[in-house]
Amino acid sequence: MATRLVQINMKAQDDTALGRFWAQALGWGVDSEGPGVTNLEPVGLAYPDPAAVCIDLIARPEPKTGKNRVHLDLATTSPAHQAELVARLKDLGATLADVGQGDVPWTVMADPEGNEFCVLEPRQVYGDTGPIAAVVVDCTDPRAMARFWDGAMDWTLHEVADDHATMRSAAGVGPYLEFVRTPDTKSGWNRVHLDVAPYRGDDPAAEEARLLALGATDPGVDRSEISWMVLADPEGNEFCLLSPR
């Protein structure tokens, strides 16, 4: 058994407005499961598909506080494309952000609700990822995170070092999942988190037990009214184990 990363869950005070921003930013389609839930995915995609990690926006009243520990890196194809994308995102409502990055070739921005993301300079490695180059997770120990997630998912581990680790779907398509060492530590619930899913025919309860044995923990969320399982990785980052599809 194994899971795969299928979407990013992002809390929003206004899921409709924030969904509109990200749909326009990525050139994706918008779907709604009902009040307070907005789904984003590429037009024509048959979810779940390794070619894209989709976005699920969930309405929550709490405002954002502090830097997110999960963010998106957007890909560009040339310096001109990077400049054009930054300008277009500003027109859509994004702002430049300072997270202590210093003089770097990428541009750090924030969406209309303050969620940080990066517009990368052109990098050959991201030439075929689509608009999202990588989903980036801040952590204190990239090697340990890589060990856990390499066992948790059937994605391929590409690089592991003291300061970063990189994975990508076994199909070799879509964005990368990257773990980057940062000095800050987690506090409170993450406003942005990973959603993973088993494959069709797998037993979710057995998959949960397997993830717990690998080092995941149960944060004690009341499951009486939800169909998914909430777990946390070895550094306490919450993630959801969805039903197979």
Side-chain angles (χ1 to χ4, degrees):
M1 294 190 298
T3 66
R4 60 264 176 81
L5 179 60
V6 294
Q7 64 188 27
I8 302 304
N9 183 297
M10 184 182 299
K11 302 300 184 287
Q13 291 188 295
D14 186 337
D15 65 289
T16 300
L18 195 60
R20 187 164 51 247
F21 167 82
W22 278 108
Q24 292 175 324
L26 301 172
W28 284 8
V30 181
D31 187 22
S32 177
E33 293 183 11
V37 182
T38 298
N39 310 113
L40 308 180
E41 59 187 45
V43 176
L45 180 98
Y47 173 93
D49 188 314
V53 172
C54 300
I55 300 177
D56 207 23
L57 295 120
I58 308 297
R60 294 286 299 181
E62 304 89 357
K64 178 180 182 291
T65 59
K67 177 178 174 289
N68 289 336
R69 295 192 67 75
V70 179
H71 73 265
L72 301 180
D73 281 354
L74 305 188
T76 63
T77 57
S78 68
H81 181 211
Q82 183 185 15
E84 290 165 4
L85 181 56
V86 168
R88 185 169 69 83
L89 292 167
K90 286 181 179 178
D91 289 341
L92 291 175
T95 55
L96 298 178
D98 186 350
V99 294
Q101 69 268 22
D103 185 14
V104 293
W106 58 89
T107 303
V108 182
M109 306 189 77
D111 70 19
E113 290 202 8
N115 299 297
E116 302 86 5
F117 65 95
C118 296
V119 179
L120 301 181
E121 76 284 3
R123 300 184 194 180
Q124 185 175 4
V125 67
Y126 301 133
D128 63 350
T129 60
I132 299 177
V135 178
V136 183
V137 181
D138 292 351
C139 63
T140 60
D141 189 342
R143 290 186 182 276
M145 290 286 275
R147 280 194 300 272
F148 171 77
W149 284 105
D150 186 40
M153 301 198 299
D154 67 351
W155 281 29
T156 301
L157 199 57
H158 284 257
E159 289 184 76
V160 182
D162 289 341
D163 61 350
H164 75 280
T166 302
M167 306 177 68
R168 198 183 191 192
S169 87
V173 296
Y176 288 79
L177 175 62
E178 300 181 353
F179 303 99
V180 177
R181 172 171 282 176
T182 56
D184 52 314
T185 56
K186 181 179 183 291
S187 62
W189 282 74
N190 287 345
R191 195 168 180 82
V192 182
H193 70 251
L194 310 180
D195 282 351
V196 301
Y199 285 85
R200 186 183 299 272
D202 286 348
D203 179 1
E207 187 59 30
E208 178 187 23
R210 190 183 71 85
L211 293 171
L212 291 169
L214 286 172
T217 56
D218 182 350
V221 173
D222 181 6
R223 299 183 181 178
S224 61
E225 297 184 1
I226 59 176
S227 60
W228 57 91
M229 303 166 188
V230 182
L231 298 171
D233 69 21
E235 291 205 4
N237 299 297
E238 302 83 15
F239 67 94
C240 291
L241 177 64
L242 306 181
S243 299
R245 288 184 59 176

